[in-house]
Amino acid sequence: MVKIDPFEVEQWMDKYEVTPGVLNIAETCAASISIDDLVGLCEDRNIPHPLDTSTKLTYGAIRGSQALRERLASLYSARVSTPLPTENILITPGAIAANFLLFYALIGPGDHVVCMHPTYQQLYDVPKSLGAEVSLWKLRKGKKYVPDLEDLKELVKENTKMIIINNPNNPTGSTTPKSVLQGLVDFAQEKGIIILSDEVYRPLFHGISPGDPDFPPSIVSFGYAKTISTGSMSKAYSLAGIRLGWIACRDSSIIEAVASARDYTTISVSQLDDWVASYALSGSVLHALLGRNIKLAKTNVAILEKFIDRWSDVCSWVKPTSGTTALVRFEKDGKPVDDVQFCIDVIEKTKVMFLPASKCFGEEFKGSVRIGFVCETSVLEEALKQLSLYVRSNLL
């Protein structure tokens, strides 16, 4: 029997997000929208509604509809000399399934994997459960959580099969810049190592502009075939409820290996989910949807920054440049709080919910919590108002 550690983030969310009256600033999705909201964002009233009630609900297109894969391939083909073929996109039930299937198809006993850390627990614990040896590529607060390639080179071994990154990063909100990605690709290509980049928070960049020379393209844009991007409609696109993700890779053998493995699991995604995702990624909707979420992220990160500046005697952070999450460290009397008890006490006294970083990402993050700040602005404002009252009464 495969043994795997409990998924701490998901278990914490399951336990506390159902608290009556909760002010949830643990959620990592940009504030969710309804089908009506999505239709309201459409700039062309002549295109059909996303849900076709007359079509029979079969398994649908096993690898994803042509329309959906074409729209995703187009996104990956922007500003590159060689467009990504539609056949090199595989649709999955969320990015969590995409990542799992990649590990299941490609990783096993005798392999060595290097994974960026901190990050989503799935990315290092699933390879470990499949028998691989896993080394953690540590992000440092002193380097603003930007990965150091020299640290990576010390971790790689003769049997290293895959390097896993998460860009934008959860939980820090950091961005791995283009120059570092180029160095990573050059290094991995020289050794024939696969790079998997979990890009579920892409393209939600709010602290770096597309005109910046270090603005990061997707990992599959660098011309190395053994680069893989996974993505999702959940985070940057506000549609977690449709449970739709994907894999993009220029190496067709990797796509085929995952497609074969998937025959034993989900077979296909729901036609309904595919339709909604295709609609959201259409030219008439995409820009308004992303514009809404980037504006929301910029507004809310500024609100969170004001809170941290106000209470700088007891809390600190590295301001995020992308994604939806931030690591915030809290102290009392100059010492880090017990973040697990802190989170429990805060939710019991104020209904404000966030995650303890030491429990969910490792003991080295004791005293820190992960805050998901791209919720509805009114929720964030009320949560921080209540948290301010708590800080004044309990940490000063």
Side-chain angles (χ1 to χ4, degrees), residues 27-83:
E27 179 57 70
T28 58
C29 302
S32 297
I33 58 174
S34 67
I35 297 295
D36 286 345
D37 293 333
L38 189 65
V39 171
L41 290 170
C42 183
E43 297 169 349
D44 182 357
R45 298 305 177 191
N46 294 317
I47 69 171
H49 192 276
L51 297 179
D52 179 358
T53 57
S54 65
T55 297
K56 292 183 179 181
L57 297 177
T58 66
Y59 282 107
I62 299 302
R63 297 193 179 198
S65 69
Q66 186 71 12
L68 177 55
R69 291 191 295 151
E70 283 179 357
R71 286 166 187 174
L72 285 166
S74 177
L75 293 179
Y76 282 103
S77 298
R79 300 181 185 177
V80 297
S81 56
T82 306

Side-chain angles (χ1 to χ4, degrees), residues 285-298:
V285 179
L286 176 63
H287 301 297
L289 177 57
L290 285 179
R292 175 240 190 210
N293 289 350
I294 291 171
K295 179 180 178 181
L296 184 63
K298 288 181 175 180

Side-chain angles (χ1 to χ4, degrees), residues 202-261:
R202 181 178 180 83
L204 202 60
F205 297 98
H206 42 80
I208 183 171
S209 70
D212 191 303
D214 252 344
F215 185 84
S218 171
I219 198 68
V220 299
S221 301
F222 286 86
Y224 176 40
K226 290 186 177 181
T227 53
I228 308 167
S229 167
T230 55
S232 168
M233 297 302 296
S234 299
K235 309 299 184 182
Y237 298 99
S238 299
L239 292 167
I242 66 172
R243 306 307 305 131
L244 191 137
W246 58 83
I247 299 167
C249 181
R250 293 185 180 275
D251 187 332
S252 297
S253 67
I254 290 176
I255 294 291
E256 292 306 314
V258 176
S260 180

Side-chain angles (χ1 to χ4, degrees), residues 14 32 49 155 164 250 322 330 344 349:
D14 288 346
S32 297
H49 192 276
L155 297 172
I164 304 164
R250 293 185 180 275
S322 55
F330 285 87
I344 293 171
K349 292 179 177 176

Side-chain angles (χ1 to χ4, degrees), residues 5-13 121 355 359-361:
D5 292 334
F7 204 147
E8 298 292 359
V9 165
E10 300 302 334
Q11 294 200 358
W12 189 275
M13 295 291 288
Q121 186 177 337
L355 295 179
K359 183 175 182 62
C360 298
F361 302 103

Side-chain angles (χ1 to χ4, degrees), residues 6 8-9 12 117-119 121 124 138 171 327-330 336-344 354-370:
E8 298 292 359
V9 165
W12 189 275
H117 188 265
T119 191
Q121 186 177 337
Y124 48 90
K138 300 280 190 175
L327 269 184
V328 180
R329 178 183 169 93
F330 285 87
V337 298
D338 179 331
D339 50 286
V340 175
Q341 289 305 313
F342 176 69
C343 288
I344 293 171
F354 37 62
L355 295 179
S358 69
K359 183 175 182 62
C360 298
F361 302 103
E363 279 298 317
E364 63 265 46
F365 300 102
K366 182 180 179 181
S368 293
V369 302
R370 188 191 73 180

Side-chain angles (χ1 to χ4, degrees), residues 69-180:
R69 291 191 295 151
E70 283 179 357
R71 286 166 187 174
L72 285 166
S74 177
L75 293 179
Y76 282 103
S77 298
R79 300 181 185 177
V80 297
S81 56
T82 306
L84 183 71
T86 302
E87 293 71 26
N88 290 66
I89 299 284
L90 183 67
I91 305 303
T92 62
I96 194 168
N99 292 332
F100 190 92
L101 286 167
L102 281 160
F103 298 142
Y104 183 78
L106 302 176
I107 300 299
D111 292 330
H112 176 244
V113 168
V114 177
C115 183
M116 177 182 283
H117 188 265
T119 191
Y120 199 50
Q121 186 177 337
Q122 179 200 35
L123 297 180
Y124 48 90
D125 270 358
V126 170
K128 186 166 61 175
S129 76
L130 295 170
E133 178 190 1
V134 178
S135 298
L136 300 180
W137 184 11
K138 300 280 190 175
L139 304 180
R140 303 180 199 167
K141 187 176 182 180
K143 290 183 175 288
K144 297 185 177 180
Y145 300 119
V146 173
D148 188 321
L149 290 173
E150 295 306 312
D151 292 344
L152 170 69
K153 291 172 184 178
E154 293 180 3
L155 297 172
V156 167
K157 303 180 179 183
E158 288 296 320
N159 63 330
T160 301
K161 189 170 186 182
M162 183 181 286
I163 298 168
I164 304 164
I165 66 172
N166 174 211
N167 190 32
N169 178 255
N170 165 23
T172 68
S174 67
T175 303
T176 301
K178 181 178 181 180
S179 56
V180 175

